[in-house]
């Protein structure tokens, strides 16, 4: 009992703010190592992203957060498509969620595999030369879809390499991922042409890297 | 050490597989690695199709005899891919067809991939096909996609002593700003018949439609009235066949079926103004 009291007092002594109330010290926050969200201000992203294609830009960079014990990534990305492949350059702003239920270690190596990911995204394309489809040029209901906003879905996978652990004990990886997906307008095209179009016709591929900070 | 050889077999197999995947992805698969559905990038195979089809047409002698010219007229292929396949099968059985004319709205959403899906089917026609831009082909980056896949928005060609003048009349897409259609271009193009016996104007939106720039309707119709040897104008957009004489000058305006109507018009021309319309179900 005396030992416990002593340790409590010692603990209080290193927290000057609590020195005035040594008999009632609060429990210091215990870092959790299970959710990948430890001791880090909310605004500091967990990883950096670089990606090509996948309907999100020719060159795309982003940041993201990991939660649900490392299974869910929530990312925001900015992509660029040059004038050469557009009327005027396109800026594509994407919000994306990727759920990867399983992570498999490869023996004693530093490699890990996430064999399956499923995800969804929404994005907005800004480009001066792009013709808007829902603006004042048209009577209401003339076109039913927005030209600049797209929704997409994908399946994918990921291979990760464990980097040296951070000072606070949080694991870090660098990983390569792919997304095989499509978008709302392609899905509508397939749905109304079940016989004439195939799933292969509407697929897009994105490839990217994620590095934990 | 059998496990080592098994491992090296596996790794070389995996390596080859990965290599093949990367090669397909990087070389053949501009398709799969899509930057944006709105990109205008398309492989050479699907570029400048108007130029390529006009070259193919120029190389074909007119299958009809004398001053007769026969071609197939349809419009609005937008998102009717199964119908496009049946259309091709039917047209390929028609005798003496010189070419096929599609009166705009190749795509529904103005996406380059849609234009390719249409071309993948229409390139199976035994004859060349020619298009004009429709309002749906203007959506998003559609104008750029159309220019990449097909070519100019306004163009003209002469075949079998007949001059075809094809132009963009989708005025609503430009916010009725007085530039679409390009009247000076139409006037100068129609004025120079190049010695052809007949002229035909082809566009997507007819001048009496609500999607035609109202301030340009009168100048447009006057340009047609002044045009030497004009036989008629061909339009799409309304998704149904029809022959109208809406103006005092009695120029016929012939509207096309859309692909989903599963009907097309076989147009036969002869002499200076003779023509006959046969509607074919498929």
């Amino acid at each position: 009992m005396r030992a416990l009291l002593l340790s409590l007092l010692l603990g209080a002594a290193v927290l000057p703010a609590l020195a005035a109330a040594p008999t009632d010290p609060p429990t210091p926050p215990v870092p959790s190592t299970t959710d990948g969200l430890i001791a880090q201000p909310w605004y500091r992203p967990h990883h950096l992203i670089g990606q090509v294609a996948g309907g999100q830009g020719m060159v795309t960079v982003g940041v993201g957060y990991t939660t649900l014990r490392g299974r869910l990534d929530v990312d925001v990305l900015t992509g660029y498509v040059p004038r050469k492949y557009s009327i005027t350059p396109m800026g594509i702003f994407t919000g994306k969620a990727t759920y990867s239920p399983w992570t498999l270690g490869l023996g004693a190596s530093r490699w890990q595999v996430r064999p399956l990911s499923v995800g969804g995204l929404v994005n907005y394309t800004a480009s001066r030369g792009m013709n808007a489809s829902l603006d004042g040029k048209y009577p209401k209901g003339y076109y039913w879809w927005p030209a600049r906003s797209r929704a997409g879905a994908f399946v994918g996978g990921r291979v990760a390499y464990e980097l040296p652990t951070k000072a606070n004990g949080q694991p870090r990886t660098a990983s390569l991922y792919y997304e095989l997906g499509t978008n709302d307008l392609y899905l509508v095209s397939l749905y109304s042409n079940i016989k004439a179009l195939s799933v292969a016709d509407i697929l897009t591929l994105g490839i990217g890297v994620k590095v934990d900070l | 050490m059998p496990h080592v050889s098994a491992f090296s077999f596996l790794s070389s197999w995996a390596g080859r597989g990965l290599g093949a995947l990367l090669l397909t992805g990087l070389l053949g698969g501009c398709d799969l690695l899509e930057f944006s559905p709105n990109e205008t990038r398309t492989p050479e195979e699907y570029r400048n199709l108007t130029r390529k089809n006009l070259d193919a047409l120029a190389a074909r002698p007119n299958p009809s005899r004398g001053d007769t010219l026969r071609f197939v007229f349809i419009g609005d292929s937008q998102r009717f891919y199964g119908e496009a396949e049946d259309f091709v099968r039917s047209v390929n059985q028609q005798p003496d067809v010189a070419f096929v004319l599609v009166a705009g709205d190749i795509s529904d959403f103005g996406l380059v991939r849609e234009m390719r899906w249409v071309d993948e089917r229409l390139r199976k026609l035994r004859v060349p096909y020619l298009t004009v831009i429709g309002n749906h082909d203007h959506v998003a980056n559609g104008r750029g996609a159309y220019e990449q896949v097909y070519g100019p928005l306004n163009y003209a060609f002469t075949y079998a002593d007949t001059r075809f003048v094809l132009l963009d009349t989708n005025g609503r897409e430009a916010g009725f700003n007085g530039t679409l259609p390009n009247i000076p271009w139409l006037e100068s193009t129609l004025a120079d018949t190049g010695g052809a016996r007949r002229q035909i104007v082809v566009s997507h939106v007819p001048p009496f439609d609500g999607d035609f720039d109202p301030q340009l309707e009168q100048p447009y119709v006057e340009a047609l009235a002044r045009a030497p040897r004009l036989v008629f104008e061909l339009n799409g957009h309304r998704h149904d066949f029809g022959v109208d004489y809406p103006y005092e000058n009695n120029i016929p305006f012939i509207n096309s079926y859309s692909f989903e109507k599963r009907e097309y018009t076989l147009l036969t021309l002869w002499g200076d103004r003779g023509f006959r319309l046969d509607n074919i179900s498929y």
Side-chain angles (χ1 to χ4, degrees), chain A residues 146-165:
Chain A
R148 294 172 175 145
S149 304
R150 289 279 65 75
F154 57 85
V155 295
R158 186 164 160 182
V159 178
Y161 184 76
E162 276 176 45
L163 300 174
T165 305

Side-chain angles (χ1 to χ4, degrees), chain A residues 60-150:
Chain A
T60 306
V61 294
V63 295
Y65 300 83
T66 303
T67 185
L68 295 186
R69 301 185 179 192
R71 287 177 187 149
L72 182 70
D73 278 10
V74 178
D75 304 326
V76 289
L77 305 102
T78 303
Y80 176 75
V81 179
R83 175 188 302 271
K84 188 181 176 194
Y85 304 130
S86 182
I87 292 174
T88 56
M90 287 187 271
I92 305 178
F93 305 93
T94 300
K96 176 161 69 178
T98 310
Y99 182 69
S100 313
W102 306 292
T103 300
L104 311 174
L106 285 187
S109 77
R110 288 170 162 269
W111 291 93
Q112 302 169 353
V113 173
R114 296 184 185 204
L116 175 74
S117 303
V118 291
L121 61 87
V122 287
N123 63 29
Y124 179 84
T125 301
S127 183
R128 205 167 32 82
M130 230 168 113
N131 189 8
S133 58
L134 299 176
D135 64 3
K137 302 193 296 291
Y138 311 103
K140 210 171 165 25
Y142 192 85
Y143 297 127
W144 57 262
W145 68 97
R148 294 172 175 145
S149 304
R150 289 279 65 75

